[in-house]
Amino acid sequence: MRVAVIGTGYVGLVTGVVLADMGNDVICVDNDPSKVEKLRNGISPIYEPGIEEMIRRNLNDQSIRFEASIADATQASEIVFIAVGTPPGEDGTPDLTAVRAVAREIGKAIDKYTVVVNKSTVPVGSGDLVENIIAEQGVSKELFDVVSNPEFLREGSAIHDTLEPDRIVIGAKKREAANKLVELYAPLEKPMYITDLNSAELIKYASNSFLAMKISFINAISRLCEACGANVSDVAKGMGADKRIGPLFLQAGLGWGGSCFPKDVEGLIKVAEGLGYDFELLKATQEINTTQTLHFLGRVEKRLGGLQGKKIGMLGLAFKPNTDDIRDAKSLVLIEEILNKGGSVHAYDPVAQENVEKVYPQIQYADHVFDVAEGADAIILVTEWNEFKQLDLEKLGSKMKNRILFDGRRVYSRASMEKAGFEYYTIGQAQ
Ligand code: UDX
């Protein structure tokens, strides 16, 4: 099928490349000429394992093109995806400026029946908004339909998640429009749920908020574990074995971050507010997430007798492994607090360092993982990159002032750390 994808951010680029790989003719559009130029040369503007190989393969096969004109791409396609950013506005409500602008451009260009698909995360009712904007450009209602097709991919495993989704959600007013997407996704052979527009939009918010709530729940339990001497991993395993609960997203840690959970939880609270419902459960979910990080740092502070003059080694800066994304990363909260309390930070991350350097040029960055240990009063493990999982503990410890490790992601076992002469502290386990 002939497909246009507007926006080459995480969602747009991965969607476009995967659809091209499935044999469709894809045009990806971006209004940033430098991005388009890079992509034409097979260079990805985002860090995602496997994406560049896939871009290059499809450029070679001529199944994908990168362009700047929404109008040309719309006229060349039967399905047009809107995959532009919807960052939180000042009051937390998603800012739909980019979605509106793109809808206008599409509306001006439509010259034959086109299915316009909203893949950006948008508040309930945005399908109607896009429909109205397109109609305002003078397009008759028979010439287009708007469909909501939310995206559930995770950074770091985005290609796999797009090729192997648990489900595909398609919200539409007319079955005929939904069927276009059913046809597009049929080769994936995955369950498809066809709903009305509002339900599809709500499924996205509800899913992400539920997952964030699940993590906040186990993080709240981790505090109880620390207080009563239980072990949160054992509690999570025991809970997760119940099929009704499930074992995934029960990993206690420093809390959730990234480009989706914080924005979508806040977004759903605002959507609810607009609909006259005070979503207190989600407010508590946010609150637990904020205090979880500060509580952990409080333990570091207590052990070191304050942070004034203390040198903290930091392993990992990205909000999770396999990405250079630092949006709402817990590392940022920790750096800010440590600096405010008079401490210093020496950090290492395999790919996210440059991004943090733009925000915190004043901290020290390491070339090698072991450098963070140099003279450190303690090390905090913030992101569970694979390369941090089997460190030579003797080498690490030998460079430190004190062999103290605060494991914010429960990567190590107390036994292995103590064997290497470390004092070991982790989430959800009393010292
Ligand atoms: C998430 C959703 O999973 C995805 O479906 C949606 O499309 C976008 O948002 P992503 O933000 O890429 O994906 O990362 P994810 O792997 O879900 O992790 C989000 C955050 O939760 C990370 O900070 C991670 O460290 C944290 N997390 C995740 C936990 O603390 N514990 C867990 O058990 C799982």
Side-chain angles (χ1 to χ4, degrees), residues 242-302:
D242 185 326
K243 284 197 187 69
R244 293 168 302 175
I245 297 172
L248 303 178
F249 281 67
L250 275 185
Q251 173 72 37
L254 284 165
W256 38 269
S259 62
C260 287
F261 285 178
K263 171 168 88 72
D264 292 353
V265 172
E266 181 66 21
L268 189 50
I269 290 172
K270 292 291 173 199
V271 165
E273 234 168 69
L275 295 168
Y277 177 64
D278 182 9
F279 214 142
E280 287 178 287
L281 179 61
L282 289 186
K283 290 181 182 169
T285 297
Q286 285 179 323
E287 171 71 14
I288 294 166
N289 195 47
T290 306
T291 56
Q292 181 75 356
T293 326
L294 301 175
H295 166 76
F296 192 63
L297 188 63
R299 291 173 70 195
V300 180
E301 219 176 326
K302 190 169 164 215

Short mmCIF file of all heavy atoms in Angstrom, two decimals, residues 242-302:
data_model
loop_
_atom_site.label_atom_id
_atom_site.label_comp_id
_atom_site.label_asym_id
_atom_site.label_seq_id
_atom_site.Cartn_x
_atom_site.Cartn_y
_atom_site.Cartn_z
N ASP A 242 0.57 -14.92 39.91
CA ASP A 242 -0.88 -14.92 39.74
C ASP A 242 -1.19 -14.37 38.35
O ASP A 242 -0.83 -13.23 38.05
CB ASP A 242 -1.49 -14.01 40.82
CG ASP A 242 -3.01 -14.05 40.81
OD1 ASP A 242 -3.60 -14.19 39.71
OD2 ASP A 242 -3.61 -13.92 41.90
N LYS A 243 -1.82 -15.21 37.52
CA LYS A 243 -2.05 -14.81 36.12
C LYS A 243 -2.82 -13.50 36.04
O LYS A 243 -2.67 -12.74 35.09
CB LYS A 243 -2.82 -15.89 35.37
CG LYS A 243 -1.98 -17.08 34.98
CD LYS A 243 -2.69 -17.90 33.91
CE LYS A 243 -1.94 -19.19 33.62
NZ LYS A 243 -1.99 -20.15 34.76
N ARG A 244 -3.65 -13.23 37.04
CA ARG A 244 -4.43 -11.99 36.99
C ARG A 244 -3.55 -10.77 37.19
O ARG A 244 -3.92 -9.67 36.83
CB ARG A 244 -5.53 -12.03 38.07
CG ARG A 244 -6.58 -13.09 37.80
CD ARG A 244 -7.45 -13.27 39.01
NE ARG A 244 -6.66 -13.63 40.19
CZ ARG A 244 -7.16 -13.76 41.42
NH1 ARG A 244 -8.44 -13.54 41.63
NH2 ARG A 244 -6.37 -14.11 42.42
N ILE A 245 -2.38 -10.96 37.80
CA ILE A 245 -1.47 -9.83 38.02
C ILE A 245 -0.39 -9.80 36.95
O ILE A 245 -0.17 -8.80 36.29
CB ILE A 245 -0.85 -9.91 39.44
CG1 ILE A 245 -1.95 -9.79 40.49
CG2 ILE A 245 0.21 -8.82 39.64
CD1 ILE A 245 -1.51 -10.05 41.91
N GLY A 246 0.29 -10.95 36.76
CA GLY A 246 1.34 -11.03 35.74
C GLY A 246 2.66 -10.48 36.24
O GLY A 246 2.68 -9.55 37.03
N PRO A 247 3.78 -11.06 35.77
CA PRO A 247 5.08 -10.69 36.31
C PRO A 247 5.70 -9.42 35.72
O PRO A 247 6.65 -8.89 36.28
CB PRO A 247 5.96 -11.90 35.95
CG PRO A 247 5.32 -12.47 34.72
CD PRO A 247 3.86 -12.17 34.81
N LEU A 248 5.20 -8.92 34.60
CA LEU A 248 5.87 -7.80 33.94
C LEU A 248 5.55 -6.46 34.59
O LEU A 248 4.48 -6.28 35.16
CB LEU A 248 5.49 -7.76 32.46
CG LEU A 248 5.80 -9.03 31.68
CD1 LEU A 248 5.34 -8.92 30.23
CD2 LEU A 248 7.27 -9.37 31.74
N PHE A 249 6.53 -5.54 34.47
CA PHE A 249 6.38 -4.20 35.05
C PHE A 249 6.16 -4.22 36.56
O PHE A 249 5.42 -3.44 37.12
CB PHE A 249 5.30 -3.39 34.30
CG PHE A 249 5.86 -2.83 33.01
CD1 PHE A 249 6.22 -3.69 31.99
CD2 PHE A 249 6.10 -1.48 32.86
CE1 PHE A 249 6.82 -3.22 30.83
CE2 PHE A 249 6.69 -0.99 31.69
CZ PHE A 249 7.05 -1.86 30.68
N LEU A 250 6.82 -5.19 37.19
CA LEU A 250 6.82 -5.26 38.65
C LEU A 250 8.25 -5.17 39.17
O LEU A 250 8.55 -5.68 40.24
CB LEU A 250 6.18 -6.57 39.12
CG LEU A 250 4.66 -6.61 39.25
CD1 LEU A 250 4.21 -7.94 39.83
CD2 LEU A 250 4.13 -5.45 40.11
N GLN A 251 9.12 -4.56 38.37
CA GLN A 251 10.51 -4.43 38.78
C GLN A 251 10.65 -3.13 39.58
O GLN A 251 10.53 -2.04 39.04
CB GLN A 251 11.37 -4.41 37.50
CG GLN A 251 12.82 -4.12 37.69
CD GLN A 251 13.58 -5.27 38.34
OE1 GLN A 251 13.31 -6.45 38.06
NE2 GLN A 251 14.49 -4.94 39.23
N ALA A 252 10.88 -3.29 40.89
CA ALA A 252 11.04 -2.09 41.73
C ALA A 252 12.34 -1.38 41.39
O ALA A 252 13.32 -2.02 41.01
CB ALA A 252 11.03 -2.49 43.20
N GLY A 253 12.33 -0.09 41.48
CA GLY A 253 13.55 0.67 41.14
C GLY A 253 13.43 2.11 41.57
O GLY A 253 12.66 2.45 42.48
N LEU A 254 14.18 2.96 40.89
CA LEU A 254 14.20 4.39 41.22
C LEU A 254 12.94 5.11 40.76
O LEU A 254 12.75 6.29 41.07
CB LEU A 254 15.41 5.05 40.58
CG LEU A 254 16.74 4.77 41.26
CD1 LEU A 254 17.90 5.16 40.35
CD2 LEU A 254 16.83 5.56 42.56
N GLY A 255 12.13 4.40 39.96
CA GLY A 255 10.90 5.03 39.46
C GLY A 255 10.91 5.08 37.95
O GLY A 255 11.90 4.78 37.31
N TRP A 256 9.75 5.47 37.38
CA TRP A 256 9.62 5.50 35.92
C TRP A 256 9.89 6.89 35.36
O TRP A 256 9.63 7.90 35.99
CB TRP A 256 8.24 4.99 35.47
CG TRP A 256 7.10 5.41 36.36
CD1 TRP A 256 6.61 4.72 37.43
CD2 TRP A 256 6.32 6.63 36.28
NE1 TRP A 256 5.58 5.42 38.01
CE2 TRP A 256 5.37 6.59 37.32
CE3 TRP A 256 6.32 7.73 35.44
CZ2 TRP A 256 4.45 7.61 37.54
CZ3 TRP A 256 5.40 8.76 35.65
CH2 TRP A 256 4.47 8.67 36.70
N GLY A 257 10.44 6.89 34.14
CA GLY A 257 10.69 8.15 33.44
C GLY A 257 10.41 7.95 31.97
O GLY A 257 9.60 7.10 31.61
N GLY A 258 11.09 8.73 31.13
CA GLY A 258 10.93 8.54 29.69
C GLY A 258 9.98 9.52 29.05
O GLY A 258 9.48 10.45 29.68
N SER A 259 9.72 9.27 27.79
CA SER A 259 8.93 10.24 27.01
C SER A 259 7.44 9.97 27.11
O SER A 259 6.63 10.80 26.71
CB SER A 259 9.35 10.17 25.55
OG SER A 259 9.08 8.89 25.05
N CYS A 260 7.04 8.81 27.65
CA CYS A 260 5.62 8.47 27.61
C CYS A 260 4.93 8.46 28.97
O CYS A 260 3.93 9.15 29.16
CB CYS A 260 5.43 7.10 26.96
SG CYS A 260 5.69 7.17 25.20
N PHE A 261 5.45 7.66 29.91
CA PHE A 261 4.71 7.50 31.16
C PHE A 261 4.43 8.83 31.85
O PHE A 261 3.27 9.12 32.19
CB PHE A 261 5.44 6.54 32.11
CG PHE A 261 5.32 5.08 31.74
CD1 PHE A 261 5.97 4.09 32.48
CD2 PHE A 261 4.55 4.67 30.65
CE1 PHE A 261 5.87 2.75 32.14
CE2 PHE A 261 4.45 3.33 30.30
CZ PHE A 261 5.11 2.37 31.05
N PRO A 262 5.46 9.67 32.06
CA PRO A 262 5.17 10.93 32.78
C PRO A 262 4.14 11.78 32.04
O PRO A 262 3.21 12.33 32.64
CB PRO A 262 6.54 11.63 32.81
CG PRO A 262 7.54 10.54 32.67
CD PRO A 262 6.90 9.52 31.77
N LYS A 263 4.29 11.86 30.72
CA LYS A 263 3.40 12.69 29.90
C LYS A 263 1.98 12.10 29.85
O LYS A 263 0.99 12.82 29.95
CB LYS A 263 4.01 12.74 28.50
CG LYS A 263 3.18 13.37 27.42
CD LYS A 263 4.04 13.61 26.18
CE LYS A 263 4.10 12.45 25.23
NZ LYS A 263 2.94 12.15 24.45
N ASP A 264 1.90 10.79 29.74
CA ASP A 264 0.58 10.19 29.58
C ASP A 264 -0.20 10.13 30.90
O ASP A 264 -1.42 10.28 30.92
CB ASP A 264 0.70 8.79 28.96
CG ASP A 264 1.17 8.88 27.51
OD1 ASP A 264 1.26 10.01 26.99
OD2 ASP A 264 1.46 7.83 26.91
N VAL A 265 0.52 9.90 32.02
CA VAL A 265 -0.17 9.91 33.32
C VAL A 265 -0.73 11.31 33.57
O VAL A 265 -1.91 11.48 33.91
CB VAL A 265 0.78 9.46 34.46
CG1 VAL A 265 0.12 9.67 35.82
CG2 VAL A 265 1.19 8.01 34.29
N GLU A 266 0.12 12.31 33.35
CA GLU A 266 -0.31 13.71 33.53
C GLU A 266 -1.46 14.02 32.56
O GLU A 266 -2.46 14.64 32.92
CB GLU A 266 0.89 14.63 33.28
CG GLU A 266 0.62 16.11 33.45
CD GLU A 266 0.30 16.51 34.89
OE1 GLU A 266 0.65 15.76 35.81
OE2 GLU A 266 -0.33 17.58 35.06
N GLY A 267 -1.29 13.54 31.32
CA GLY A 267 -2.32 13.78 30.29
C GLY A 267 -3.66 13.20 30.69
O GLY A 267 -4.70 13.84 30.55
N LEU A 268 -3.65 11.98 31.24
CA LEU A 268 -4.92 11.35 31.61
C LEU A 268 -5.56 12.04 32.81
O LEU A 268 -6.79 12.19 32.88
CB LEU A 268 -4.73 9.85 31.88
CG LEU A 268 -6.01 9.03 32.07
CD1 LEU A 268 -7.03 9.26 30.96
CD2 LEU A 268 -5.70 7.54 32.18
N ILE A 269 -4.71 12.52 33.72
CA ILE A 269 -5.26 13.28 34.86
C ILE A 269 -6.00 14.51 34.32
O ILE A 269 -7.11 14.83 34.75
CB ILE A 269 -4.12 13.71 35.83
CG1 ILE A 269 -3.58 12.47 36.56
CG2 ILE A 269 -4.61 14.75 36.84
CD1 ILE A 269 -2.34 12.72 37.41
N LYS A 270 -5.39 15.17 33.33
CA LYS A 270 -6.00 16.38 32.75
C LYS A 270 -7.26 16.03 31.95
O LYS A 270 -8.26 16.74 32.01
CB LYS A 270 -5.01 17.12 31.84
CG LYS A 270 -3.86 17.71 32.58
CD LYS A 270 -4.33 18.88 33.45
CE LYS A 270 -3.18 19.35 34.33
NZ LYS A 270 -3.60 20.13 35.48
N VAL A 271 -7.17 14.95 31.18
CA VAL A 271 -8.35 14.52 30.41
C VAL A 271 -9.50 14.26 31.39
O VAL A 271 -10.63 14.71 31.19
CB VAL A 271 -8.03 13.22 29.61
CG1 VAL A 271 -9.31 12.56 29.11
CG2 VAL A 271 -7.10 13.54 28.43
N ALA A 272 -9.18 13.54 32.49
CA ALA A 272 -10.20 13.22 33.49
C ALA A 272 -10.78 14.50 34.09
O ALA A 272 -12.01 14.64 34.22
CB ALA A 272 -9.60 12.34 34.59
N GLU A 273 -9.88 15.42 34.42
CA GLU A 273 -10.32 16.71 34.99
C GLU A 273 -11.33 17.39 34.07
O GLU A 273 -12.38 17.85 34.50
CB GLU A 273 -9.10 17.62 35.14
CG GLU A 273 -8.90 18.19 36.52
CD GLU A 273 -7.52 18.81 36.62
OE1 GLU A 273 -7.29 19.87 35.98
OE2 GLU A 273 -6.68 18.21 37.30
N GLY A 274 -10.98 17.39 32.77
CA GLY A 274 -11.85 18.01 31.77
C GLY A 274 -13.21 17.33 31.70
O GLY A 274 -14.21 17.93 31.31
N LEU A 275 -13.22 16.05 32.08
CA LEU A 275 -14.49 15.30 32.02
C LEU A 275 -15.19 15.27 33.38
O LEU A 275 -16.15 14.54 33.59
CB LEU A 275 -14.22 13.86 31.54
CG LEU A 275 -13.68 13.76 30.09
CD1 LEU A 275 -13.17 12.35 29.81
CD2 LEU A 275 -14.75 14.14 29.08
N GLY A 276 -14.62 16.05 34.33
CA GLY A 276 -15.28 16.17 35.64
C GLY A 276 -14.91 15.08 36.63
O GLY A 276 -15.61 14.87 37.62
N TYR A 277 -13.78 14.37 36.40
CA TYR A 277 -13.39 13.32 37.34
C TYR A 277 -12.01 13.61 37.90
O TYR A 277 -11.07 13.90 37.16
CB TYR A 277 -13.38 11.96 36.63
CG TYR A 277 -12.92 10.83 37.53
CD1 TYR A 277 -13.67 10.48 38.65
CD2 TYR A 277 -11.74 10.14 37.28
CE1 TYR A 277 -13.24 9.48 39.50
CE2 TYR A 277 -11.31 9.13 38.12
CZ TYR A 277 -12.06 8.80 39.23
OH TYR A 277 -11.65 7.80 40.08
N ASP A 278 -11.90 13.53 39.22
CA ASP A 278 -10.62 13.75 39.87
C ASP A 278 -9.91 12.40 40.02
O ASP A 278 -10.27 11.59 40.87
CB ASP A 278 -10.87 14.39 41.26
CG ASP A 278 -9.58 14.69 41.99
OD1 ASP A 278 -8.49 14.56 41.37
OD2 ASP A 278 -9.65 15.04 43.18
N PHE A 279 -8.90 12.15 39.17
CA PHE A 279 -8.27 10.83 39.12
C PHE A 279 -7.19 10.71 40.21
O PHE A 279 -5.98 10.74 39.95
CB PHE A 279 -7.64 10.61 37.74
CG PHE A 279 -7.70 9.19 37.25
CD1 PHE A 279 -7.93 8.91 35.91
CD2 PHE A 279 -7.52 8.13 38.12
CE1 PHE A 279 -7.99 7.59 35.45
CE2 PHE A 279 -7.58 6.81 37.68
CZ PHE A 279 -7.81 6.55 36.34
N GLU A 280 -7.64 10.58 41.46
CA GLU A 280 -6.72 10.59 42.59
C GLU A 280 -5.72 9.44 42.55
O GLU A 280 -4.59 9.57 42.98
CB GLU A 280 -7.51 10.53 43.90
CG GLU A 280 -8.20 11.85 44.20
CD GLU A 280 -9.01 11.75 45.47
OE1 GLU A 280 -10.06 11.10 45.44
OE2 GLU A 280 -8.58 12.32 46.48
N LEU A 281 -6.16 8.30 42.01
CA LEU A 281 -5.28 7.14 41.93
C LEU A 281 -4.03 7.48 41.12
O LEU A 281 -2.91 7.10 41.48
CB LEU A 281 -6.03 5.98 41.27
CG LEU A 281 -5.28 4.67 41.07
CD1 LEU A 281 -4.84 4.08 42.39
CD2 LEU A 281 -6.15 3.67 40.31
N LEU A 282 -4.21 8.21 40.04
CA LEU A 282 -3.05 8.57 39.21
C LEU A 282 -2.21 9.65 39.86
O LEU A 282 -1.00 9.70 39.65
CB LEU A 282 -3.50 9.01 37.81
CG LEU A 282 -4.03 7.88 36.92
CD1 LEU A 282 -4.30 8.39 35.52
CD2 LEU A 282 -3.03 6.72 36.85
N LYS A 283 -2.83 10.50 40.64
CA LYS A 283 -2.04 11.52 41.35
C LYS A 283 -1.13 10.82 42.37
O LYS A 283 0.02 11.20 42.54
CB LYS A 283 -2.96 12.53 42.03
CG LYS A 283 -3.68 13.42 41.01
CD LYS A 283 -4.57 14.43 41.71
CE LYS A 283 -5.32 15.27 40.69
NZ LYS A 283 -6.37 16.07 41.30
N ALA A 284 -1.66 9.80 43.03
CA ALA A 284 -0.84 9.04 43.98
C ALA A 284 0.27 8.29 43.24
O ALA A 284 1.40 8.17 43.73
CB ALA A 284 -1.72 8.07 44.76
N THR A 285 -0.05 7.81 42.04
CA THR A 285 0.95 7.11 41.22
C THR A 285 2.14 8.04 40.93
O THR A 285 3.30 7.64 41.03
CB THR A 285 0.28 6.67 39.89
OG1 THR A 285 -0.76 5.75 40.21
CG2 THR A 285 1.25 6.02 38.94
N GLN A 286 1.84 9.29 40.61
CA GLN A 286 2.89 10.29 40.36
C GLN A 286 3.69 10.58 41.64
O GLN A 286 4.91 10.65 41.63
CB GLN A 286 2.27 11.62 39.92
CG GLN A 286 1.76 11.64 38.51
CD GLN A 286 1.13 12.99 38.17
OE1 GLN A 286 0.48 13.61 39.01
NE2 GLN A 286 1.30 13.43 36.95
N GLU A 287 2.94 10.75 42.71
CA GLU A 287 3.56 11.11 43.99
C GLU A 287 4.56 10.04 44.44
O GLU A 287 5.68 10.34 44.86
CB GLU A 287 2.42 11.29 45.03
CG GLU A 287 2.83 11.45 46.47
CD GLU A 287 3.48 12.81 46.73
OE1 GLU A 287 3.34 13.68 45.86
OE2 GLU A 287 4.12 12.96 47.79
N ILE A 288 4.16 8.78 44.33
CA ILE A 288 5.06 7.68 44.72
C ILE A 288 6.31 7.72 43.85
O ILE A 288 7.43 7.52 44.32
CB ILE A 288 4.35 6.31 44.59
CG1 ILE A 288 3.21 6.20 45.59
CG2 ILE A 288 5.34 5.15 44.76
CD1 ILE A 288 2.23 5.06 45.33
N ASN A 289 6.11 8.02 42.57
CA ASN A 289 7.24 8.04 41.64
C ASN A 289 8.24 9.14 41.99
O ASN A 289 9.45 8.96 41.87
CB ASN A 289 6.73 8.23 40.21
CG ASN A 289 7.78 7.90 39.20
OD1 ASN A 289 8.44 6.85 39.30
ND2 ASN A 289 7.99 8.77 38.25
N THR A 290 7.73 10.28 42.42
CA THR A 290 8.62 11.38 42.78
C THR A 290 9.37 11.05 44.07
O THR A 290 10.59 11.21 44.17
CB THR A 290 7.80 12.68 42.99
OG1 THR A 290 7.04 12.89 41.82
CG2 THR A 290 8.68 13.87 43.25
N THR A 291 8.64 10.58 45.07
CA THR A 291 9.27 10.38 46.37
C THR A 291 10.21 9.17 46.36
O THR A 291 11.14 9.10 47.15
CB THR A 291 8.23 10.23 47.49
OG1 THR A 291 7.35 9.15 47.15
CG2 THR A 291 7.43 11.50 47.68
N GLN A 292 9.95 8.21 45.46
CA GLN A 292 10.80 7.01 45.40
C GLN A 292 12.27 7.38 45.19
O GLN A 292 13.16 6.87 45.87
CB GLN A 292 10.31 6.10 44.26
CG GLN A 292 11.08 4.81 44.08
CD GLN A 292 10.76 3.78 45.14
OE1 GLN A 292 9.99 4.03 46.09
NE2 GLN A 292 11.35 2.60 45.01
N THR A 293 12.53 8.27 44.28
CA THR A 293 13.91 8.65 43.96
C THR A 293 14.54 9.41 45.14
O THR A 293 15.67 9.15 45.52
CB THR A 293 13.92 9.57 42.71
OG1 THR A 293 12.87 9.15 41.84
CG2 THR A 293 15.24 9.53 41.99
N LEU A 294 13.75 10.32 45.70
CA LEU A 294 14.28 11.14 46.80
C LEU A 294 14.52 10.29 48.05
O LEU A 294 15.49 10.48 48.78
CB LEU A 294 13.32 12.30 47.11
CG LEU A 294 13.07 13.23 45.91
CD1 LEU A 294 12.03 14.29 46.25
CD2 LEU A 294 14.39 13.89 45.46
N HIS A 295 13.62 9.32 48.24
CA HIS A 295 13.77 8.41 49.38
C HIS A 295 15.08 7.62 49.26
O HIS A 295 15.83 7.47 50.24
CB HIS A 295 12.57 7.46 49.41
CG HIS A 295 12.75 6.28 50.30
ND1 HIS A 295 12.67 6.38 51.67
CD2 HIS A 295 13.06 4.99 50.03
CE1 HIS A 295 12.90 5.19 52.20
NE2 HIS A 295 13.15 4.34 51.23
N PHE A 296 15.37 7.17 48.04
CA PHE A 296 16.60 6.38 47.83
C PHE A 296 17.83 7.26 48.10
O PHE A 296 18.78 6.85 48.77
CB PHE A 296 16.62 5.82 46.40
CG PHE A 296 17.69 4.78 46.18
CD1 PHE A 296 17.67 3.58 46.87
CD2 PHE A 296 18.71 4.99 45.26
CE1 PHE A 296 18.66 2.61 46.67
CE2 PHE A 296 19.69 4.03 45.03
CZ PHE A 296 19.66 2.84 45.74
N LEU A 297 17.78 8.48 47.57
CA LEU A 297 18.91 9.39 47.78
C LEU A 297 19.05 9.71 49.28
O LEU A 297 20.17 9.87 49.78
CB LEU A 297 18.74 10.68 46.97
CG LEU A 297 19.96 11.59 46.99
CD1 LEU A 297 21.18 10.91 46.35
CD2 LEU A 297 19.68 12.91 46.28
N GLY A 298 17.92 9.75 49.96
CA GLY A 298 17.95 9.97 51.40
C GLY A 298 18.76 8.88 52.11
O GLY A 298 19.49 9.15 53.08
N ARG A 299 18.67 7.66 51.61
CA ARG A 299 19.43 6.56 52.21
C ARG A 299 20.94 6.76 51.97
O ARG A 299 21.76 6.46 52.83
CB ARG A 299 18.97 5.21 51.65
CG ARG A 299 17.56 4.84 52.10
CD ARG A 299 17.06 3.58 51.40
NE ARG A 299 17.75 2.38 51.82
CZ ARG A 299 17.70 1.22 51.15
NH1 ARG A 299 16.98 1.13 50.04
NH2 ARG A 299 18.35 0.16 51.58
N VAL A 300 21.25 7.27 50.76
CA VAL A 300 22.67 7.53 50.45
C VAL A 300 23.20 8.60 51.42
O VAL A 300 24.26 8.46 52.03
CB VAL A 300 22.83 8.05 48.99
CG1 VAL A 300 24.30 8.33 48.67
CG2 VAL A 300 22.24 7.07 47.98
N GLU A 301 22.39 9.65 51.54
CA GLU A 301 22.76 10.77 52.39
C GLU A 301 22.99 10.31 53.83
O GLU A 301 23.96 10.69 54.48
CB GLU A 301 21.58 11.75 52.34
CG GLU A 301 21.99 13.18 52.32
CD GLU A 301 20.77 14.09 52.18
OE1 GLU A 301 19.78 13.70 51.50
OE2 GLU A 301 20.82 15.16 52.77
N LYS A 302 22.07 9.48 54.29
CA LYS A 302 22.15 9.01 55.68
C LYS A 302 23.44 8.20 55.88
O LYS A 302 24.17 8.41 56.85
CB LYS A 302 20.92 8.14 55.95
CG LYS A 302 20.76 7.79 57.40
CD LYS A 302 19.40 7.17 57.67
CE LYS A 302 19.43 6.48 59.02
NZ LYS A 302 18.62 5.29 59.06
#
